[in-house]
Amino acid sequence: MPRTARDVVFVDGVRTPFGKAGPKGLYAQTRADDLVVRAIRELLRRNPSLPPERVDEVAIAATTQTGDQGLTIGRSAAVLAGLPKSVPGYAVDRMCAGAMTAVTTSGAGISFGSYDVVVAGGVEHMGRHPMGEGVDPNPRFLADKLVDPSALVMGSTAENLHDRYPQITKERADAYAVRSQQKVAAAYAAGKIQPDLVPTAVRSAERGWGLATADEPPRPGTTLDDLAKLKTPFRVHGNVTPGNAAGLNDGATACLLAAEDVARELGLTPKMRLIDFSFAGVEPEVMGVGPVPATERLLARNSMTMDDIGLIEINEAFAVQVLAFLEHFKIADDDARVNPWGGAIALGHPLASSGVRLMNQLARLFEERTDVRYGLTTMCVGMGMGGTVLWENTGWEGAK
């Protein structure tokens, strides 16, 4: 029997506070799987009208799938979170776009009719599992000159992007980074970030047990003078510094997706509707430009232009990557549509988890901005890719 596509909605999303990776970081003695379990449990707690047995799938991403991020983490996290044993799960890896891919893949399953309700998200404990841990790149990448050696170092790809866009200077990247810190500080002061956060138990040898209730990475007092003094670790006299790039972080995210009719049947309130998504490949040496073709394809397929987009949540892996996107679409560096509450330069970027953080913030913004109909979540991806998702505000005032 022919099937018709169903509307897919984002019902709710949560995340742990993000921590700094390393022996002194917030989650130095916390397991990665426990982080994502905490997020899933909170998601279910916040949506009590959802019978746990109605969850049809759990898709959880991790870039480094080993140790406490291995064992098919979607399934193991589902069991640990107390979901019925009948609920299956799987693991996803698309590097930084892992959680984004968990959403688009499971969302496509909902649209097709294979699922009614899914949990999707991601986790990365970069303190326990540094990016590239255990990786054995095939020597043909370099021997056959398939990629430049810089393609395997994300910071070097950001320096390459500065070369491609010489008008994006270090000063311009630093200015963007300062604004990100300022926007996050303002959003925290206004209570915009906190509703997404799941208080998470932590412990350390020095302080014993505690509770993480806020992101660890932000540096609200950052100035241009501060950033001007930082070293450029990826190139002598380069442009990329720890101040205009996201740090190394730990954290987890989870969200609830459903068919729109099922959501309403279960008493769940949709926050936004999944319209379309696109992934695109680019030269690995300039992976940061990936969001450009991914977004171009998406807009063209939906007969839209950037003028139709009222909000843009773009992952700030590096300031230059965001600025290259803005440059291409002729968007001002300080356009009010872009990351209104700041981004990963301040909040952190625990790789595979970040795609759902973008969605969480867009959903919250949609609730406040009923005048905005469409928004994007977009990000660059290691090894030369980009991903973009188009969302519609279910509370858009024009629909009433």
Side-chain angles (χ1 to χ4, degrees):
M1 177 181 294
R3 302 188 185 193
T4 57
R6 301 190 298 173
D7 285 338
V8 180
V9 292
F10 181 102
V11 173
D12 199 5
V14 298
R15 66 178 178 89
T16 66
F18 289 169
K20 295 179 181 179
K24 295 183 179 180
L26 203 56
Y27 300 121
Q29 297 189 37
T30 303
R31 291 178 59 96
D33 47 12
D34 284 337
L35 290 176
V36 74
V37 165
R38 183 73 188 93
I40 294 172
R41 285 178 173 170
E42 179 66 10
L43 197 59
L44 296 173
R45 188 192 71 80
R46 293 190 187 192
N47 295 276
S49 68
L50 172 66
E53 64 272 14
R54 290 298 301 270
V55 176
D56 296 309
E57 187 72 272
V58 177
I60 300 297
T63 301
T64 307
Q65 295 190 11
T66 187
D68 54 353
Q69 292 183 178
L71 199 62
T72 313
I73 193 164
R75 170 60 174 173
S76 58
V79 173
L80 290 165
L83 285 167
K85 301 297 193 303
S86 57
V87 177
Y90 64 99
V92 180
D93 175 18
R94 201 198 289 262
M95 295 186 116
C96 302
M100 176 179 281
T101 304
V103 167
T104 57
T105 301
S106 58
I110 293 172
S111 179
F112 186 70
S114 299
Y115 308 134
D116 285 339
V117 180
V118 300
V119 171
V123 62
E124 209 73 53
H125 200 307
M126 299 181 75
R128 284 174 174 257
H129 307 293
M131 188 174 185
E133 179 191 30
V135 170
D136 179 20
N138 193 302
R140 290 201 305 109
F141 278 123
L142 302 184
D144 294 356
K145 298 184 178 179
L146 298 175
V147 299
D148 184 84
S150 63
L152 303 179
V153 180
M154 297 301 100
S156 296
T157 68
E159 290 285 9
N160 293 342
L161 204 52
H162 273 285
D163 294 340
R164 178 168 289 196
Y165 292 86
Q167 66 272 39
I168 303 177
T169 61
K170 179 179 181 298
E171 291 72 23
R172 189 172 161 191
D174 285 350
Y176 181 88
V178 168
R179 283 195 298 275
S180 182
Q181 296 282 359
Q182 292 171 340
K183 287 192 284 188
V184 165
Y188 255 103
K192 306 295 187 184
I193 304 291
Q194 294 90 327
D196 287 341
L197 302 182
V198 184
T200 303
V202 296
R203 71 178 299 274
S204 71
E206 298 81 15
R207 298 184 298 275
W209 286 98
L211 196 64
T213 59
D215 295 301
E216 188 178 20
R219 296 177 176 271
T222 300
T223 66
L224 284 172
D225 287 342
D226 294 332
L227 298 191
K229 299 171 186 174
L230 297 178
K231 294 181 179 179
T232 57
F234 303 104
R235 183 184 295 178
V236 177
H237 304 304
N239 298 288
V240 179
T241 74
N244 59 32
L248 304 178
N249 305 107
D250 309 327
T253 59
C255 71
L256 192 62
L257 306 172
E260 186 161 9
D261 58 337
V262 173
R264 299 194 186 283
E265 169 205 332
L266 294 174
L268 303 170
T269 303
K271 290 184 170 67
M272 55 187 185
R273 188 174 294 111
L274 175 60
I275 301 300
D276 199 358
F277 61 90
S278 177
F279 291 92
V282 297
E283 304 99 309
E285 296 83 359
V286 286
M287 67 94 193
V289 81
V292 169
T295 302
E296 286 184 321
R297 289 182 186 181
L298 189 62
L299 293 176
R301 191 161 61 227
N302 290 276
S303 301
M304 299 172 73
T305 70
M306 199 56 82
D307 291 339
D308 296 306
I309 305 301
L311 289 165
I312 302 167
E313 283 291 325
I314 180 168
N315 192 44
E316 298 171 354
F318 300 94
V320 64
Q321 162 252 315
V322 178
L323 293 170
F325 178 90
L326 301 182
E327 187 85 15
H328 178 85
F329 287 104
K330 297 179 172 55
I331 298 171
D333 292 4
D334 59 353
D335 191 300
R337 295 177 294 173
V338 180
N339 293 4
W341 296 342
I345 287 173
L347 292 169
H349 173 31
L351 301 183
S353 71
S354 287
V356 166
R357 181 193 67 77
L358 300 174
M359 297 169 193
N360 289 348
Q361 289 198 195
L362 180 62
R364 295 282 180 191
L365 284 159
F366 272 159
E367 288 181 316
E368 292 191 2
R369 296 290 307 279
T370 57
D371 59 310
V372 172
R373 183 174 186 181
Y374 294 113
L376 296 178
T377 55
T378 185
M379 62 199 312
C380 61
V381 190
M383 287 303 293
M385 293 180 283
T388 305
V389 187
L390 175 63
W391 300 93
E392 183 179 26
N393 187 354
T394 52
W396 177 54
E397 61 191 27
K400 298 175 182 177

